[in-house]
Amino acid sequence: MLRALLLSLGQLADPPIQRVFVKSMVVTLFVFALLGMGTWWGTQAALAAWLDWRADGLAAAFALFVTILALWLLFRAVAIAVVGIFADEVVEAVEARHYPAALETARPVPLARSLAMGLRSAARVVLVNLLMLPVYVALLVTGVGTAAAFFLVNGWLLGRDLGDMVAARHMDAAAMRGWRATTRPGRFVLGLANTGLFVVPILNIAAPVLGAAMATHYFHARYSRTQSSGNQSSNKGRA
Protein backbone atom coordinates (compact mmCIF):
# COMPACT_ATOMS: atom_id res chain seq x y z
CA MET A 1 0.00 0.00 0.00
CA LEU A 2 2.93 2.34 0.67
CA ARG A 3 4.25 1.61 -2.82
CA ALA A 4 0.81 2.40 -4.27
CA LEU A 5 0.71 5.71 -2.36
CA LEU A 6 4.21 6.75 -3.45
CA LEU A 7 3.54 5.88 -7.09
CA SER A 8 0.25 7.78 -6.97
CA LEU A 9 1.86 10.86 -5.41
CA GLY A 10 4.54 10.73 -8.10
CA GLN A 11 1.91 10.88 -10.83
CA LEU A 12 -0.11 13.81 -9.48
CA ALA A 13 1.74 16.17 -11.83
CA ASP A 14 0.69 14.22 -14.94
CA PRO A 15 -1.64 16.32 -17.14
CA PRO A 16 -4.43 13.68 -17.28
CA ILE A 17 -4.45 13.39 -13.47
CA GLN A 18 -4.40 17.17 -13.08
CA ARG A 19 -7.33 17.54 -15.48
CA VAL A 20 -9.39 15.07 -13.42
CA PHE A 21 -8.40 16.85 -10.21
CA VAL A 22 -9.49 20.24 -11.58
CA LYS A 23 -12.75 18.90 -13.03
CA SER A 24 -13.63 17.01 -9.84
CA MET A 25 -12.90 20.02 -7.62
CA VAL A 26 -14.97 22.34 -9.83
CA VAL A 27 -17.94 19.97 -9.80
CA THR A 28 -17.61 19.32 -6.05
CA LEU A 29 -17.48 23.02 -5.20
CA PHE A 30 -20.38 23.66 -7.58
CA VAL A 31 -22.48 21.09 -5.68
CA PHE A 32 -21.78 22.83 -2.37
CA ALA A 33 -22.38 26.25 -3.94
CA LEU A 34 -25.80 25.05 -5.08
CA LEU A 35 -26.46 23.78 -1.56
CA GLY A 36 -25.55 27.18 -0.12
CA MET A 37 -27.71 29.06 -2.61
CA GLY A 38 -30.63 26.72 -2.01
CA THR A 39 -30.29 27.12 1.76
CA TRP A 40 -30.16 30.92 1.44
CA TRP A 41 -33.23 31.02 -0.80
CA GLY A 42 -35.14 28.52 1.38
CA THR A 43 -34.35 30.38 4.62
CA GLN A 44 -35.32 33.71 3.10
CA ALA A 45 -38.60 32.30 1.76
CA ALA A 46 -39.43 30.63 5.08
CA LEU A 47 -38.84 33.81 7.08
CA ALA A 48 -40.95 35.79 4.65
CA ALA A 49 -43.80 33.26 4.69
CA TRP A 50 -43.87 32.50 8.42
CA LEU A 51 -42.84 35.79 9.99
CA ASP A 52 -43.45 38.25 7.15
CA TRP A 53 -39.83 39.20 7.68
CA ARG A 54 -37.22 39.68 4.96
CA ALA A 55 -33.83 39.07 6.57
CA ASP A 56 -31.19 38.77 3.85
CA GLY A 57 -28.31 38.97 6.32
CA LEU A 58 -29.67 36.25 8.59
CA ALA A 59 -30.44 33.99 5.62
CA ALA A 60 -26.95 34.51 4.21
CA ALA A 61 -25.32 33.76 7.59
CA PHE A 62 -27.38 30.59 8.01
CA ALA A 63 -26.60 29.48 4.44
CA LEU A 64 -22.88 30.01 5.06
CA PHE A 65 -23.06 27.99 8.29
CA VAL A 66 -24.91 25.13 6.58
CA THR A 67 -22.47 25.09 3.65
CA ILE A 68 -19.40 24.98 5.91
CA LEU A 69 -20.99 22.23 8.01
CA ALA A 70 -21.85 20.28 4.86
CA LEU A 71 -18.29 20.68 3.55
CA TRP A 72 -16.99 19.23 6.80
CA LEU A 73 -19.45 16.35 6.99
CA LEU A 74 -20.13 15.52 3.34
CA PHE A 75 -17.01 16.53 1.41
CA ARG A 76 -15.71 12.97 1.37
CA ALA A 77 -18.96 11.48 0.08
CA VAL A 78 -19.48 14.13 -2.59
CA ALA A 79 -15.83 14.11 -3.69
CA ILE A 80 -15.77 10.32 -4.06
CA ALA A 81 -19.03 10.43 -6.03
CA VAL A 82 -17.66 13.11 -8.35
CA VAL A 83 -14.30 11.38 -8.82
CA GLY A 84 -16.25 8.21 -9.56
CA ILE A 85 -17.59 9.97 -12.65
CA PHE A 86 -14.06 10.73 -13.86
CA ALA A 87 -12.32 7.72 -12.31
CA ASP A 88 -11.89 5.98 -15.65
CA GLU A 89 -9.58 8.79 -16.75
CA VAL A 90 -7.42 8.39 -13.64
CA VAL A 91 -7.24 4.63 -14.01
CA GLU A 92 -6.40 4.94 -17.70
CA ALA A 93 -3.58 7.39 -16.96
CA VAL A 94 -2.09 5.08 -14.31
CA GLU A 95 -2.39 2.05 -16.56
CA ALA A 96 -0.83 3.91 -19.50
CA ARG A 97 2.23 4.72 -17.40
CA HIS A 98 2.61 1.56 -15.31
CA TYR A 99 0.48 -1.23 -16.82
CA PRO A 100 0.40 -0.77 -20.63
CA ALA A 101 -0.42 -4.43 -21.26
CA ALA A 102 -3.53 -4.19 -19.07
CA LEU A 103 -4.55 -0.96 -20.81
CA GLU A 104 -4.70 -2.78 -24.13
CA THR A 105 -7.39 -5.16 -22.86
CA ALA A 106 -9.30 -2.66 -20.69
CA ARG A 107 -12.88 -1.75 -21.48
CA PRO A 108 -13.68 1.92 -20.83
CA VAL A 109 -16.53 2.34 -18.35
CA PRO A 110 -19.50 4.18 -19.92
CA LEU A 111 -20.36 7.55 -18.39
CA ALA A 112 -23.79 6.33 -17.29
CA ARG A 113 -22.25 3.44 -15.35
CA SER A 114 -19.57 5.68 -13.82
CA LEU A 115 -22.27 8.13 -12.73
CA ALA A 116 -24.37 5.34 -11.22
CA MET A 117 -21.36 3.91 -9.36
CA GLY A 118 -20.42 7.34 -8.01
CA LEU A 119 -23.94 8.11 -6.81
CA ARG A 120 -24.28 4.69 -5.17
CA SER A 121 -20.95 5.24 -3.44
CA ALA A 122 -22.02 8.62 -2.06
CA ALA A 123 -25.38 7.24 -0.94
CA ARG A 124 -23.70 4.36 0.91
CA VAL A 125 -21.25 6.68 2.66
CA VAL A 126 -24.00 9.07 3.80
CA LEU A 127 -26.51 6.38 4.78
CA VAL A 128 -24.09 4.13 6.68
CA ASN A 129 -22.52 7.04 8.54
CA LEU A 130 -25.97 8.35 9.48
CA LEU A 131 -26.88 4.91 10.83
CA MET A 132 -23.61 4.83 12.74
CA LEU A 133 -24.10 8.32 14.19
CA PRO A 134 -25.56 7.06 17.52
CA VAL A 135 -22.57 4.72 17.86
CA TYR A 136 -20.13 7.56 17.12
CA VAL A 137 -21.82 9.71 19.78
CA ALA A 138 -21.88 6.88 22.35
CA LEU A 139 -18.17 6.21 21.81
CA LEU A 140 -17.21 9.85 22.48
CA VAL A 141 -16.76 8.98 26.16
CA THR A 142 -13.91 6.60 25.25
CA GLY A 143 -11.83 9.36 23.73
CA VAL A 144 -10.65 7.32 20.73
CA GLY A 145 -13.61 5.05 20.05
CA THR A 146 -15.40 7.45 17.71
CA ALA A 147 -12.32 7.96 15.54
CA ALA A 148 -11.61 4.22 15.46
CA ALA A 149 -15.21 3.39 14.47
CA PHE A 150 -15.18 6.11 11.82
CA PHE A 151 -11.98 4.74 10.27
CA LEU A 152 -13.23 1.15 10.30
CA VAL A 153 -16.61 1.98 8.77
CA ASN A 154 -15.27 4.30 6.10
CA GLY A 155 -12.29 2.08 5.36
CA TRP A 156 -14.73 -0.69 4.51
CA LEU A 157 -16.89 1.63 2.38
CA LEU A 158 -14.06 3.25 0.45
CA GLY A 159 -12.21 -0.03 -0.09
CA ARG A 160 -15.20 -1.48 -1.90
CA ASP A 161 -15.94 1.59 -4.00
CA LEU A 162 -12.36 2.39 -5.01
CA GLY A 163 -11.72 -1.22 -5.97
CA ASP A 164 -14.85 -1.33 -8.14
CA MET A 165 -13.71 1.75 -10.09
CA VAL A 166 -10.78 -0.26 -11.46
CA ALA A 167 -12.27 -3.74 -11.60
CA ALA A 168 -15.14 -2.48 -13.78
CA ARG A 169 -12.63 -1.89 -16.60
CA HIS A 170 -11.37 -5.47 -16.60
CA MET A 171 -14.16 -7.73 -15.30
CA ASP A 172 -17.81 -8.47 -15.89
CA ALA A 173 -20.31 -8.40 -13.01
CA ALA A 174 -19.84 -12.07 -12.08
CA ALA A 175 -16.05 -11.81 -12.04
CA MET A 176 -16.25 -8.64 -9.94
CA ARG A 177 -18.32 -10.45 -7.31
CA GLY A 178 -15.69 -13.16 -7.10
CA TRP A 179 -12.91 -10.59 -6.96
CA ARG A 180 -14.61 -8.73 -4.11
CA ALA A 181 -14.97 -11.98 -2.15
CA THR A 182 -11.25 -12.79 -2.41
CA THR A 183 -9.84 -9.30 -1.82
CA ARG A 184 -11.74 -8.05 1.23
CA PRO A 185 -8.70 -7.68 3.54
CA GLY A 186 -6.60 -5.86 0.95
CA ARG A 187 -9.42 -3.55 -0.11
CA PHE A 188 -10.12 -2.79 3.55
CA VAL A 189 -6.50 -1.68 4.00
CA LEU A 190 -6.82 0.39 0.82
CA GLY A 191 -9.94 2.02 2.23
CA LEU A 192 -8.26 2.72 5.57
CA ALA A 193 -5.33 4.36 3.80
CA ASN A 194 -7.63 6.58 1.76
CA THR A 195 -9.72 7.46 4.83
CA GLY A 196 -6.48 8.55 6.47
CA LEU A 197 -5.67 10.81 3.50
CA PHE A 198 -9.01 12.58 3.98
CA VAL A 199 -7.98 13.77 7.45
CA VAL A 200 -4.53 15.07 6.42
CA PRO A 201 -4.63 18.80 5.61
CA ILE A 202 -3.85 19.64 1.96
CA LEU A 203 -3.65 15.96 0.99
CA ASN A 204 -7.35 15.61 1.76
CA ILE A 205 -8.14 17.78 -1.27
CA ALA A 206 -6.38 15.28 -3.56
CA ALA A 207 -7.50 12.21 -1.58
CA PRO A 208 -10.22 11.08 -4.05
CA VAL A 209 -7.85 11.20 -7.04
CA LEU A 210 -5.07 9.57 -5.03
CA GLY A 211 -7.52 6.89 -3.93
CA ALA A 212 -8.43 6.03 -7.52
CA ALA A 213 -4.75 5.86 -8.48
CA MET A 214 -3.85 3.73 -5.45
CA ALA A 215 -6.75 1.39 -6.22
CA THR A 216 -5.34 0.92 -9.72
CA HIS A 217 -1.95 -0.13 -8.36
CA TYR A 218 -3.59 -2.42 -5.81
CA PHE A 219 -5.83 -4.05 -8.42
CA HIS A 220 -3.01 -4.82 -10.83
CA ALA A 221 -0.64 -6.04 -8.12
CA ARG A 222 -3.34 -8.36 -6.77
CA TYR A 223 -4.66 -9.38 -10.19
CA SER A 224 -1.17 -10.18 -11.48
CA ARG A 225 -0.52 -12.48 -8.50
CA THR A 226 -3.86 -14.21 -9.07
CA GLN A 227 -3.10 -14.77 -12.74
CA SER A 228 0.40 -16.05 -11.96
CA SER A 229 -1.01 -18.51 -9.42
CA GLY A 230 -3.59 -19.66 -11.94
CA ASN A 231 -0.96 -20.19 -14.63
CA GLN A 232 1.24 -22.16 -12.26
CA SER A 233 -1.70 -24.36 -11.29
CA SER A 234 -2.50 -24.97 -14.96
CA ASN A 235 1.09 -25.88 -15.73
CA LYS A 236 1.20 -28.33 -12.84
CA GLY A 237 -2.07 -29.85 -14.01
CA ARG A 238 -0.71 -30.38 -17.52
CA ALA A 239 2.52 -31.84 -16.10
Side-chain angles (χ1 to χ4, degrees):
M1 205 57 64
L2 179 60
R3 173 181 175 275
L5 174 60
L6 293 176
L7 288 174
S8 300
L9 286 170
Q11 203 170 349
L12 277 180
D14 283 12
I17 303 294
Q18 290 183 337
R19 283 196 294 270
V20 172
F21 174 74
V22 171
K23 286 190 293 187
S24 62
M25 286 304 300
V26 168
V27 174
T28 299
L29 293 176
F30 179 70
V31 169
F32 284 106
L34 285 179
L35 173 65
M37 291 172 61
T39 304
W40 172 78
W41 179 84
T43 303
Q44 196 176 55
L47 289 173
W50 298 341
L51 304 176
D52 194 21
W53 179 28
R54 186 176 178 84
D56 292 346
L58 179 60
F62 182 67
L64 179 63
F65 170 76
V66 169
T67 304
I68 292 173
L69 184 64
L71 273 168
W72 180 53
L73 295 175
L74 299 176
F75 173 77
R76 180 171 34 83
V78 174
I80 285 292
V82 172
V83 165
I85 301 172
F86 306 116
D88 211 45
E89 297 177 45
V90 177
V91 178
E92 183 177 350
V94 175
E95 289 180 342
R97 181 168 176 177
H98 297 280
Y99 312 100
L103 179 61
E104 292 179 3
T105 60
R107 297 168 300 179
V109 180
L111 178 61
R113 187 179 180 189
S114 295
L115 181 60
M117 291 172 65
L119 291 176
R120 283 198 300 267
S121 173
R124 274 193 296 267
V125 169
V126 172
L127 179 60
V128 173
N129 278 283
L130 282 176
L131 291 174
M132 286 293 296
L133 192 58
V135 178
Y136 294 154
V137 173
L139 290 174
L140 283 173
V141 296
T142 66
V144 297
T146 299
F150 176 85
F151 266 79
L152 291 173
V153 168
N154 288 277
W156 166 63
L157 290 168
L158 288 179
R160 173 196 168 96
D161 295 331
L162 290 171
D164 282 3
M165 290 178 186
V166 189
R169 288 171 54 84
H170 299 278
M171 297 176 171
D172 57 23
M176 282 180 64
R177 286 192 293 270
W179 181 76
R180 288 191 198 113
T182 58
T183 56
R184 287 193 182 98
R187 287 186 294 108
F188 179 60
V189 175
L190 171 68
L192 286 177
N194 201 236
T195 302
L197 291 176
F198 271 103
V199 300
V200 178
I202 300 177
L203 269 184
N204 58 357
I205 299 175
V209 173
L210 284 172
M214 289 173 64
T216 308
H217 291 294
Y218 169 76
F219 175 84
H220 287 294
R222 183 69 175 77
Y223 195 50
S224 296
R225 287 197 297 270
T226 302
Q227 286 185 315
S228 298
S229 299
N231 291 336
Q232 290 175 2
S233 299
S234 298
N235 291 336
K236 288 179 180 179
R238 285 196 295 269

